[in-house]
Amino acid sequence: MTHIRPPALIDPFGRPIHYLRVSVTDRCDLRCVYCMSEDMTFLPKADLLSLEELDRLCSAFVEQGVRKLRITGGEPLVRRNVLSLFRNLGRHVKSGALAELTLTTNGTHLAKFAEDLKQAGVRRVNISLDSLDPARFKTITRWGDHAKVMDGIRAAKDAGLKVKINTVAMRGVNEDEVESLVAWCGAEGFDLVLIETMPMGDIDGDRTAQYLPLSLVRAQLEQRFELTPIPDTTGGPARYTRVAETGGRVGFITPMTHNFCESCNRVRLTCTGTLYMCLGQEDAADLRTPMRASEGDELLRAAIREAIARKPKGHDFVIDRRHNRPAVNRHMSVTGG
Ligand code: SAM
Ligand code: SF4
């Protein structure tokens, strides 16, 4: 079906906003050490937007030119009935309004959902995996079952979903595994994206100890692999390279050592309807109130435009000994990674 593309939302720095990430729950079945403390307090369920409201909000963004929608969390696949949200949003893929409907998941429930997600219109999935070693995986995620995640990854591949593996590189934790991850992803046909830890939300541990600049990881990888930079096609924060030995791609997300804000095309919505215009800043817009104020979407659309007009130029993350506290107080699981 041909779709007439609406004018894009443009922020004050001339960046068109094509990409919305939506956290559908702040809850999770894992407790990754860099993301959460072990005893997290989650939002009361009554505060969450209903799946119908999330659909309405997402659809309002799609009507205003958003072309890519990523469902995340928390763990999106622990939200009850989340498949119905994917099925409903899939109509925008079918109409051509959305170029992509995708999700980021820890993979623990993917074996159950992969095939249905594909049917709903999902073509690609990002799966977080910080270690190929079951014992180490358990230490990093506190509660994770490595075998379940590997089953999920396999199911995604079997369903024909394109898989991208996200790995947070941590000093003294998994830095010795990055080469094996590159080789494994290459062999499986998965993209690999390496991420630096970002100072978001209180965790139990010490972030300075975990923080590992990817410049070091890349230098280490280049001893074994030939990495050739490839032009960016996604407009996202990852800088990609082609690995000569495997033919695969490895991306680097370096919020701490390289500022990727110039090309930022995205905003983030929480499961309570708060829109964050920047991952690393506190300013936010409440979209729940204008949405609930009327049946029509006029107020909601105006609130979205007003929020985009306030999108800041960029973030200002610092992790060092003097700044060993979160740059922003909310956890990644609230805004959606
Ligand atoms: N639960 C899903 C998952 O783990 O894929 C989706 C949400 S999770 C918050 C999204 C991504 O953010 C994951 O790849 C995770 O590794 C990453 N992440 C979480 N906290 C982070 C932090 N403080 N610094 C860097 N990456 C982080
Ligand atoms: Fe859960 Fe994802 Fe955070 Fe790990 S990174 S605790 S899986 S939300």
Side-chain angles (χ1 to χ4, degrees):
M1 203 187 297
T2 13
H3 176 78
I4 314 253
R5 218 173 271 180
L9 294 159
I10 309 276
D11 84 355
F13 303 96
R15 297 170 297 192
I17 306 306
H18 286 309
Y19 185 0
L20 176 68
R21 297 171 83 110
V22 186
S23 174
V24 296
T25 174
D26 62 332
R27 287 167 197 254
C28 188
D29 53 342
L30 304 185
R31 291 290 181 277
C32 302
V33 288
Y34 49 78
C35 180
M36 294 192 182
S37 60
E38 190 148 20
D39 63 340
M40 288 285 288
T41 311
F42 294 110
L43 292 165
K45 288 213 171 120
D47 287 2
L48 261 58
L49 297 181
S50 67
L51 293 174
E52 292 71 22
E53 287 176 318
L54 283 166
D55 181 298
R56 190 174 156 199
L57 271 176
C58 292
S59 301
F61 276 92
V62 174
E63 277 164 28
Q64 299 199 79
V66 158
R67 302 272 298 145
K68 179 167 171 182
L69 208 52
R70 177 175 298 280
I71 305 299
T72 176
E75 173 47 39
L77 299 183
V78 303
R79 172 97 196 232
R80 188 177 309 158
N81 256 334
V82 73
L83 200 54
S84 67
L85 178 66
F86 281 99
R87 286 186 175 130
N88 285 333
L89 291 173
R91 73 186 184 279
H92 298 304
V93 178
K94 290 196 185 90
S95 78
L98 260 190
E100 182 159 37
L101 171 63
T102 182
L103 72 153
T104 303
T105 172
N106 62 27
T108 56
H109 295 277
L110 204 49
K112 189 166 69 215
F113 285 112
E115 189 56 51
D116 288 332
L117 288 169
K118 178 81 196 291
Q119 294 304 324
V122 174
R123 297 285 166 264
R124 298 196 306 138
V125 56
N126 286 15
I127 307 172
S128 303
L129 181 72
D130 298 329
S131 178
L132 290 167
D133 174 72
R136 187 180 277 180
F137 180 79
K138 182 82 150 197
T139 311
I140 297 170
T141 59
R142 294 199 184 97
W143 299 353
D145 176 348
H146 191 257
K148 260 174 91 178
V149 174
M150 296 310 272
D151 285 350
I153 295 174
R154 175 84 28 227
K157 188 177 175 182
D158 290 348
L161 294 168
K162 290 232 12 119
V163 172
K164 187 185 284 180
I165 300 291
N166 283 350
T167 301
V168 176
M170 286 163 281
R171 186 183 292 283
V173 178
N174 62 354
E175 60 180 308
D176 59 342
E177 261 196 88
V178 179
E179 287 177 29
S180 341
L181 279 159
V182 170
W184 177 72
C185 285
E188 293 285 347
F190 304 154
D191 284 343
L192 173 66
V193 172
L194 300 168
I195 311 171
E196 288 174 348
T197 50
M198 293 176 238
M200 300 192 59
D202 267 327
I203 53 169
D204 300 328
D206 176 1
R207 280 191 204 276
T208 19
Q210 282 175 5
Y211 174 60
L212 174 63
L214 286 185
S215 47
L216 294 181
V217 177
R218 186 163 172 166
Q220 182 193 323
L221 281 177
E222 281 174 336
Q223 311 249 317
R224 171 154 168 215
F225 299 104
E226 190 186 324
L227 305 179
T228 312
I230 43 181
D232 178 33
T233 49
T234 61
R239 296 284 163 263
Y240 280 98
T241 60
R242 176 79 56 197
V243 187
E245 290 77 1
T246 67
R249 298 198 308 168
V250 177
F252 298 85
I253 300 188
T254 55
M256 310 303 299
T257 53
H258 166 238
N259 205 313
F260 51 54
C261 305
E262 313 81 54
S263 58
C264 183
N265 61 355
R266 63 198 57 200
V267 289
R268 296 163 198 265
L269 184 68
T270 71
C271 54
T272 55
T274 302
L275 187 74
Y276 283 94
M277 284 72 85
C278 172
L279 179 63
Q281 304 278 358
E282 300 286 2
D283 187 31
D286 166 31
L287 298 184
R288 178 172 61 181
T289 309
M291 173 176 66
R292 288 184 176 170
S294 70
E295 299 250 306
D297 285 344
E298 223 16 77
L299 292 174
L300 174 58
R301 280 198 286 265
I304 292 174
R305 282 194 299 274
E306 192 274 328
I308 300 299
R310 297 208 313 263
K311 184 168 161 68
K313 195 164 181 192
H315 68 237
D316 187 22
F317 287 145
V318 184
I319 297 184
D320 64 25
R321 292 277 161 209
R322 281 171 302 126
H323 297 84
N324 193 16
R325 59 188 151 73
V328 289
N329 286 325
R330 59 186 194 278
H331 290 86
M332 187 75 110
S333 49
V334 173
T335 339

